[in-house]
């Protein structure tokens, strides 16, 4: 049997050849229903678009959208690098899309107009309206490090936050800290809570009578500095405070607080962070931290989207990658 042609697809979908071409290539401002009808017809007939010289064969657009709340910070830089490499390897272009607060410029609108093959959301909790908009378009969506447990059944990629924090607790206990503190983030996102709880629970198993001071701050170094200062000022001579901060940026605030009080890291204050972004090794002294494989997580999310675009059955609902404690001079 000869391979299906674009004309066959158009006839099966009840549209013109030009409309079928726009729907398959991802171009044109078509309705979600039309685009979905054409793609379903193409899949049913086994139609495969022949790419132009230098092009990429795909039946659902050439692009994957990476949607983040903000770019140009250490975490998003790592995500972008991992997603870009994986997208290229799978034959897609990566589009960087920033979430805005303007209703007329909502990211689902931009994604639908482009006819993206898939969407990766990083550290964003989509609204019900946004989810419905993307689902109506038939565009696959994956959550990267979801801020809450409410994933709405969407595929997601995360890391072993609790296990990483437990490793930090064991490390600080072994390094001779006499008092302990855990510095959480506000808002209390899912991953921040998991790291805080993992640290407290593991420390209680190893040192049941240890004093643990829990505090929170906004997810910024200056706020972390202000939050940890009262505890540093209560340290008595000879005490060594072990601080676990649920992100490297919060750990940098602990460094600043210690310096302002004339305390040194690690002689007076032992510090462990979480993330292992590039700046962690540039702190003085370099920061002991729990490495989450950010680039690998982004690449895994792209892989899920590529599988969905290819119509692979049984896509994984969740992927969890392991953390690793990276000891450096701060402990």
């Amino acid at each position: 049997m000869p391979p299906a042609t674009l004309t066959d697809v158009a006839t099966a979908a009840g549209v013109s050849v030009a409309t079928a071409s726009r729907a398959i290539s991802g171009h044109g401002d078509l309705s979600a229903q039309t685009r979905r009808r054409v793609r379903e017809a193409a899949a049913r007939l086994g139609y495969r678009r022949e790419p132009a010289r230098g092009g990429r064969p795909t039946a659902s657009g050439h692009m994957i959208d990476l949607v983040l709340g903000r770019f140009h910070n250490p975490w998003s830089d790592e995500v972008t690098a991992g997603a870009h490499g994986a997208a290229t390897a799978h034959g897609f272009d990566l589009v960087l899309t920033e979430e805005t607060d303007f209703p007329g410029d909502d990211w689902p609108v931009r994604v639908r107009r482009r006819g993206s093959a898939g969407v990766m959301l990083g550290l964003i909790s989509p609204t019900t309206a946004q989810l419905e908009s993307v689902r109506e378009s038939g565009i696959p969506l994956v959550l990267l490090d979801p801020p809450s447990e409410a994933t709405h059944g969407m595929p997601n990629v995360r890391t072993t936050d609790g296990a990483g924090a437990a490793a930090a607790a064991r490390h600080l206990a072994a390094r001779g800290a006499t008092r302990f503190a855990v510095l959480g983030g506000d808002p209390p996102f899912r991953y921040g809570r998991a790291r805080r709880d993992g640290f407290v629970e593991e420390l209680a198993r190893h040192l049941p009578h240890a004093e643990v001071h829990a505090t929170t701050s906004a997810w910024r170094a200056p706020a972390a500095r202000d939050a940890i200062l009262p505890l540093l000022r209560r340290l008595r001579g000879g005490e060594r405070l072990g601080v676990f901060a649920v992100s490297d940026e919060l750990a940098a605030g602990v460094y600043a607080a210690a310096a302002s009080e004339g305390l040194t890291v690690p002689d007076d204050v032992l510090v462990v962070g979480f993330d292992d972004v590039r700046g962690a090794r540039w702190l003085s002294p370099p920061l002991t931290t729990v490495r989450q494989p950010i680039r690998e997580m982004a690449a895994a999310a792209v892989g899920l989207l590529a599988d969905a675009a290819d119509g692979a059955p049984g896509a994984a609902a969740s992927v969890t990658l392991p953390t690793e404690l990276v000891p450096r001079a701060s402990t």
Side-chain angles (χ1 to χ4, degrees):
M1 179 180 295
T5 66
L6 186 61
T7 300
D8 296 332
V9 174
T11 300
V15 299
S16 68
V17 173
T19 297
S21 178
R22 290 198 300 273
I24 290 174
S25 67
H27 299 302
D29 191 10
L30 305 177
S31 71
Q33 293 81 3
T34 298
R35 197 181 301 278
R36 183 167 59 247
R37 191 166 71 250
V38 171
R39 290 176 180 172
E40 288 174 350
R44 187 168 61 251
L45 296 173
Y47 173 76
R48 290 294 180 267
R49 175 172 173 261
E50 289 297 326
R53 183 176 299 275
R56 298 187 176 96
T58 174
S60 56
H62 303 292
M63 301 165 292
I64 286 177
D65 272 77
L66 170 60
V67 183
L68 300 178
R70 62 190 179 105
F71 288 86
H72 308 303
N73 61 69
W75 188 87
S76 65
D77 289 346
E78 291 293 301
V79 168
T80 302
H84 179 263
T88 300
H90 285 286
F92 294 93
D93 292 322
L94 184 71
V95 179
L96 305 184
T97 302
E98 188 166 3
E99 184 185 41
T100 70
D101 294 327
F102 303 106
D105 191 32
D106 205 10
W107 60 264
V109 175
R110 285 173 277 163
V111 166
R112 291 175 60 165
R113 285 174 179 167
R114 282 193 288 269
S116 293
V119 179
M120 182 198 320
L121 292 183
L123 300 182
I124 293 174
S125 295
T127 66
T128 300
Q130 288 173 332
L131 286 178
E132 288 302 317
S133 177
V134 175
R135 284 170 173 163
E136 287 175 2
S137 301
I139 299 175
L141 191 150
V142 173
L143 296 178
L144 179 65
D145 219 3
S148 73
E149 291 293 354
T151 60
H152 305 282
M154 290 180 293
N156 61 89
V157 179
R158 58 183 69 189
T159 193
T160 53
D161 295 292
R170 294 191 297 271
H171 181 73
L172 284 174
R175 299 303 295 171
T178 58
R179 297 177 65 186
F180 298 88
V182 57
L183 179 56
D186 186 27
F189 297 127
R190 174 201 59 80
Y191 42 84
R193 297 195 307 271
R195 296 168 193 175
R196 178 201 62 203
D197 294 345
F199 179 84
V200 172
E201 291 167 6
E202 184 70 9
L203 191 64
R205 280 191 285 268
H206 280 262
L207 299 173
H209 304 295
E211 179 184 355
V212 184
H213 180 85
T215 188
T216 60
S217 78
W219 294 85
R220 298 288 185 274
R225 174 192 177 278
D226 294 341
I228 204 70
L229 267 176
L231 182 59
L232 297 184
R233 288 169 178 165
R234 294 199 298 269
L235 283 180
R236 297 182 291 271
E239 289 186 322
R240 298 184 77 205
L241 177 67
V243 181
F244 172 58
V246 300
S247 78
D248 288 348
E249 184 162 354
L250 297 186
V254 178
Y255 274 54
S260 70
E261 294 300 303
L263 302 172
T264 61
V265 177
D267 295 333
D268 304 302
V269 184
L270 301 146
V271 187
V272 179
F274 201 110
D275 286 333
D276 197 25
V277 294
R278 288 194 306 274
R281 68 203 69 177
W282 299 339
L283 290 170
S284 182
L287 176 66
T288 294
T289 188
V290 178
R291 178 182 181 268
Q292 63 166 328
I294 301 172
R295 292 195 184 199
E296 293 89 338
M297 291 164 64
V302 169
L304 293 177
L305 292 173
D307 288 345
D310 289 339
S318 180
V319 174
T320 302
L321 298 182
T323 52
E324 176 189 4
L325 181 74
V326 182
R328 296 194 182 102
S330 69
T331 53

